[in-house]
Amino acid sequence: MTAVDASPPLVADGASEPLLELRGIRAGYDGIDVIHGIDLEVHPGRVVALLGPNGAGKSTTLKVLSGMLAPSAGDVLVAGRRVNGARPDDLARRGLCLIPEGRGIFPNLTVRENLWMMTHRGRTKADVEEQAAARFPQLTRFLDQTAGTLSGGQQQMLAMARGLATDPALLVLDELSMGLAPIIVDQLYETVSQVAAEGTSILLVEQFARIVMDVADDAAVMVHGHIVETGRPRDLEASLSQAYLGG
Amino acid sequence: MIENPQRVEQFKGEIADMRLADPAAGRDRALLRLGTALMVVGVVLAPVAYGISHGTTNALQQRDAQIIAISGLIVAVVGGALFLRYSMAQFLRFWLARLSWEQQAQTDRVVEAVAPGTTAAAAPSTPAAAPATVDVR
């Protein structure tokens, strides 16, 4: 398998307008591009996995689509509108929710206070707490505990509970499984499956590809800043092996 | 594929209504640099004005130096305001949010102490914030 400059766009079966579309995105740091003209689409109700080894440019792609990093070329379209230059908080407020690698919780606030931060879409504090408890009953035991003292799995649950409390239209998850025990990862992906079943569009970024095989509808393999293959997750296993092992 | 058409339509509507920043948004950075430059210029003008004033016995020139010094002061203040606006705005916004949250929590604690049970949903979360520690007498 060879890297292609113009990566094939990931298109779902349906003819619906993509909720998220990246067109010819180039981006990087200090003038050096680390993603080189990628195309990607996430259609309503689909779960798309962006897979690839460490350093492929997956997290940089997420930074671009969430407004945290300006692309040097190309267009980011959200719900059909070009949003290059949109502020990350503007996008988040409207329903593009990114749960970043490293969870992005406030470690010095309690679990309850972390949840309260998510009332910006008009939900009450009690409502947010109730929803978090329904999704992750384990968290209710730690509501008054400082979030930084939770285990990695509990912190990831809190991060997801916070993200889901905003009722996202498009949920973007960066390395959900990072540093977690397999049993916790399974629990988290079970929740991801539930959220997907409720109709939320999801873009998953994972280094450990096998985890998302059963969850994702579509997948794209990213290597060295290029999307080298797209398709159904099961059809990409050979490409994934090559992507991770080189060759 | 399962869709949630209502949420998708709402999302599309909200994105369509979103105000986008000017793509030529190097403006903020330029104004930050302008603010810094004005502060420096303002500060430099003060010793310059002193030098002019000190180096002459001509009252007219000394008055000119006073005007230069006051102009320098104004330039420095304007530069400081620009610098504050474009460098610390994010930090101050977060600080203000934290301050208002703490004030709300404090109000809840006082209300809870005066009339227990009225703020059950928003009960204070930290031990230090327990109603027993609040003396309202």
Side-chain angles (χ1 to χ4, degrees):
Chain A
M1 182 179 61
T2 53
V4 287
D5 285 330
S7 49
L10 188 61
V11 182
D13 295 338
S16 59
E17 184 185 48
L19 219 48
L20 171 73
E21 188 177 359
L22 303 181
R23 285 187 195 157
I25 291 292
R26 305 178 74 90
Y29 308 96
D30 298 326
I32 300 167
D33 282 351
V34 296
I35 49 178
H36 309 284
I38 63 163
D39 298 310
L40 185 72
E41 291 181 4
V42 180
H43 286 255
R46 305 287 291 184
V47 179
V48 177
L50 184 58
L51 309 169
N54 198 18
K58 304 184 299 296
S59 295
T60 303
T61 304
L62 296 197
K63 283 183 185 169
V64 170
L65 68 88
S66 61
M68 289 195 287
L69 181 68
S72 55
D75 293 324
V76 181
L77 287 96
V78 175
R81 185 177 178 196
R82 184 178 180 274
V83 295
N84 291 36
R87 286 176 14 189
D89 55 311
D90 274 343
L91 290 170
R93 211 179 294 279
R94 282 157 182 83
L96 193 159
C97 174
L98 168 68
I99 298 178
E101 185 181 350
R103 289 130 204 174
I105 57 168
F106 296 102
N108 296 329
L109 300 185
T110 65
V111 170
R112 194 191 299 274
E113 288 166 346
N114 266 279
L115 292 171
W116 287 355
M117 289 285 183
M118 297 295 126
T119 51
H120 57 263
R121 277 190 65 84
R123 310 188 71 152
T124 64
K125 293 173 182 174
D127 193 16
V128 168
E129 283 182 37
E130 197 177 306
Q131 192 191 349
R135 295 252 189 223
F136 301 103
Q138 304 96 310
L139 283 181
T140 53
R141 287 188 288 140
F142 308 106
L143 282 177
D144 293 327
Q145 189 170 322
T146 310
T149 62
L150 298 177
S151 70
Q154 289 159 352
Q155 287 186 13
Q156 193 63 276
M157 285 177 197
L158 173 59
M160 279 196 69
R162 282 168 22 123
L164 295 173
T166 62
D167 187 23
L170 176 60
L171 182 64
V172 183
L173 298 164
D174 192 5
E175 304 282 5
L176 193 65
S177 64
M178 182 69 83
L180 301 180
I183 191 168
I184 303 291
V185 175
D186 288 345
Q187 277 179 29
L188 289 168
Y189 272 102
E190 204 172 300
T191 306
V192 172
S193 299
Q194 285 169 12
V195 173
E198 289 162 15
T200 303
S201 307
I202 299 175
L203 175 61
L204 293 167
V205 159
E206 264 297 346
Q207 201 180 138
F208 303 106
R210 294 210 179 278
I211 300 169
V212 300
M213 288 293 179
D214 297 327
V215 181
D217 300 309
D218 307 293
V221 182
M222 195 168 184
V223 182
H224 297 146
H226 300 268
I227 289 182
V228 294
E229 189 128 16
T230 59
R232 303 271 179 259
R234 291 287 167 201
D235 299 337
L236 297 181
E237 289 194 25
S239 308
L240 281 168
S241 301
Q242 283 182 304
Y244 282 81
L245 299 173
Chain B
M1 183 169 74
I2 304 150
E3 276 191 49
N4 185 347
Q6 199 180 344
R7 181 68 184 100
V8 169
E9 284 311 310
Q10 185 192 10
F11 182 59
K12 285 180 178 175
E14 289 185 15
I15 290 290
D17 294 342
M18 186 170 72
R19 276 181 55 198
L20 281 177
D22 182 1
R27 199 179 64 114
D28 285 13
R29 199 177 302 162
L31 285 169
L32 178 66
R33 286 181 183 156
L34 178 66
T36 311
L38 289 179
M39 280 195 297
V40 172
V41 169
V43 169
V44 168
L45 282 178
V48 169
Y50 176 79
I52 293 170
S53 178
H54 197 69
T56 181
T57 53
N58 185 328
L60 285 175
Q61 281 185 335
Q62 286 178 335
R63 283 176 200 145
D64 286 346
Q66 283 177 2
I67 291 167
I68 290 171
I70 291 167
S71 300
L73 185 68
I74 292 167
V75 165
V77 168
V78 170
L82 277 176
F83 180 81
L84 208 64
R85 164 67 182 83
Y86 289 100
S87 69
M88 298 189 72
Q90 294 290 336
F91 168 76
L92 290 174
R93 198 174 295 146
F94 184 77
W95 171 78
L96 192 66
R98 180 77 213 182
L99 197 69
S100 31
W101 182 85
E102 280 176 354
Q103 273 184 343
Q104 182 62 49
Q106 178 65 16
T107 307
D108 287 347
R109 282 197 292 270
V110 172
V111 170
E112 179 67 17
V114 173
T118 52
T119 59
S125 55
T126 56
T133 63
V134 179
D135 185 0
V136 292
R137 282 174 296 171

